[in-house]
């Protein structure tokens, strides 16, 4: 009898310990069978959060060692500690626990369906139950930053370590991503929005009919020759950037000026701020390069001067260091993905770290058939050692960078193994003499460089190719670009297939 009593006591003790362990790792589950706890759980972080300097040093260490950083590589205490900084904004990617990788189906998910809505609602309940466990009265409105209506993502203001741990221990959680973290070593940006002040050199352009300017570098990739066959008609290029000018009529009322007098259209929207129109010059330059009209105003022509334009303002500037900017670009990609007329998307913006939120947007647009072009990165002194940034780093994107006339990577451009193509956009003798595009207002051409310029130019070339034979697929367009490029038969380790050949690619498209 004594042995039986000892055994029963031992069994009861084991049961109590197991229950206590489950209570620590997921204390707010409430027996909900929609949410499933992982077999191997993590404990709630103990002690104070890590100092910001320690988190920064860990991130920088990853960047030096792997030339990359992903939040999935760190533990729960580091995640929790990172959320103490900035706006305390965290994106939670979710799914039913019975579904594996959602990347292949993300464009088909109906998050209003019972299966997905139950998980969505249960996660919000778990968070609220955790925050209100000691008698608080927090509501969903108090903590939800964005409740995505298309993708399975909920963004919260959240720092509670018990709640974060409970979420981390669920099979239903695809990712937990601090959106506002930024290393102290790196000054937050306001970059890319100011126009160049370099005086225009007359040797950097030529003129063509009806009375417009052709930048010098268009000839480097055989764009004028390609125009003899294709001008981009019937193709809509989507541009995601930091704003467009309301005072540049060639991207507005005069979008069909000159030889661009087909039935093309320009449409604008925004997922950041309250308007597509801002004082930032960057988006105006990118739209001008990709789709500016072949005008009779003595202004610069774009590459695909008969293509339509769909512009979405998604960020404050070109570096996505705000949580609202990452969400903005993700939402812009969803808009692009949902528009049947958009064939090509150009993104001359980016972020040095991998972002699951950005990846969801990229995957959604790509799975909906869009051909994505993204800038490999334009450097500052503190990023000169980084490789290709995001979203260009993702395989769904064609990563584009800029080179000098002699094909050496441009002074401020990033390169690396992820680069697909290059565009010459910088004079050998002067790094301030780049390609040319439409100014914020008026007609005087403005220099614009970096991988941003190269990306918009490449997107325009792709539109020329697709318009030459609209029945071909995205993959066939890519093959035309690749097979006629500078290093078609022997890709370079840091600049991919090298300089595009617009004329060669257009002619190849005709044979498909």
């Amino acid at each position: 009898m004594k042995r039986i009593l000892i055994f029963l006591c031992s069994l009861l003790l084991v049961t109590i310990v197991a229950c206590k362990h489950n209570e620590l790792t997921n204390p707010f589950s409430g027996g909900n069978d929609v949410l499933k706890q992982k077999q191997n759980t993590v404990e709630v972080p103990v002690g104070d959060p890590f100092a910001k300097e320690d988190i920064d040093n860990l991130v920088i260490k990853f960047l030096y060692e792997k030339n990359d950083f992903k939040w999935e590589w760190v533990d729960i205490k580091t995640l929790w500690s990172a959320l103490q900084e900035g706006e305390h904004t965290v994106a939670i990617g979710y799914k039913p626990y019975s579904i594996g990788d959602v990347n292949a189906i993300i464009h088909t998910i109906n998050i209003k369906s019972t299966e997905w809505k139950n998980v969505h609602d249960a996660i919000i309940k778990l968070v609220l139950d955790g925050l209100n466990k000691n008698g608080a009265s927090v509501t969903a409105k108090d903590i939800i930053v964005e409740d995505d209506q298309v993708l399975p993502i909920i963004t919260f203001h959240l720092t509670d370590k018990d709640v974060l741990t409970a979420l981390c221990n669920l099979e239903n959680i695809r990712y937990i991503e601090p959106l506002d973290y930024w290393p102290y070593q790196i000054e937050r940006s306001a970059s890319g929005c100011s126009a160049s002040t370099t005086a225009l050199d007359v040797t950097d352009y030529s003129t063509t009919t009806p009375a417009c300017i052709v930048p010098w570098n268009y000839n480097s990739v055989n764009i004028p020759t390609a125009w003899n066959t294709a001008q981009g008609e019937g193709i809509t290029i989507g541009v995601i950037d930091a704003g467009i000018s309301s005072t540049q009529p060639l991207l507005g009322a005069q979008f069909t000026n000159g030889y661009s007098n087909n039935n093309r259209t320009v449409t604008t929207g925004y997922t950041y701020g309250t308007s597509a129109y801002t004082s930032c010059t960057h988006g105006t330059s990118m739209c001008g390069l990709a789709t500016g009209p072949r005008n009779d105003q003595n202004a610069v022509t774009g590459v695909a001067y008969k293509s339509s334009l769909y512009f979405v303002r998604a960020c404050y500037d070109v570096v996505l260091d705000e949580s609202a900017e990452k969400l903005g670009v993700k939402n812009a990609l969803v808009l692009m993905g949902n528009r049947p007329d958009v064939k090509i998307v150009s993104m001359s913006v980016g972020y040095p770290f991998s972002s699951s939120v950005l990846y969801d947007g990229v995957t959604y647009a790509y799975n909906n058939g869009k051909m994505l072009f993204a800038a490999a990165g334009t450097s500052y002194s503190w990023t000169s050692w980084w490789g290709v940034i995001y979203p260009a780093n993702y395989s769904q994107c064609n990563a584009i960078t800029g080179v000098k006339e002699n094909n050496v990577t441009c002074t401020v451009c990033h390169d690396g193994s992820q680069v697909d193509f290059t565009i010459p956009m910088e004079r050998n003798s002067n790094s301030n003499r780049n390609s040319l595009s439409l100014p914020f207002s008026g007609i005087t051409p403005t220099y614009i460089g970096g991988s941003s310029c190269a990306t918009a130019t490449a997107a325009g070339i792709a539109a020329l190719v697709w318009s030459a034979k609209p029945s071909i697929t995205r993959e066939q367009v890519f093959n035309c670009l690749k097979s006629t490029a500078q290093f078609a038969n022997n890709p370079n380790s840091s600049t991919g297939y090298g300089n595009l050949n617009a004329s060669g690619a257009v002619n190849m498209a005709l044979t498909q």
Side-chain angles (χ1 to χ4, degrees), residues 272-332:
Y272 179 94
T274 58
S275 171
Y277 303 104
T278 72
S279 60
C280 181
T281 65
H282 195 266
T284 301
S285 297
M286 298 306 107
C287 292
L289 280 166
T291 64
R294 184 164 169 174
N295 59 86
D296 59 11
Q297 307 290 309
N298 294 305
V300 176
T301 181
V303 176
Y305 60 78
K306 286 191 175 181
S307 287
S308 291
L309 169 66
Y310 178 40
F311 175 83
V312 176
R313 182 196 181 197
C315 43
Y316 175 75
D317 60 10
V318 300
V319 181
L320 309 178
D321 54 7
E322 295 179 16
S323 57
E325 291 178 305
K326 298 180 194 69
L327 294 173
V329 172
K330 177 261 298 179
N331 292 333

Side-chain angles (χ1 to χ4, degrees), residues 141-160:
K141 186 177 179 180
D142 296 328
I143 59 170
I144 294 179
V145 177
E146 182 188 79
D147 191 356
D148 200 303
Q149 299 301 296
V150 177
L151 302 177
I153 309 168
I154 310 171
T155 303
F156 295 100
H157 283 308
L158 187 61
T159 59
D160 187 283

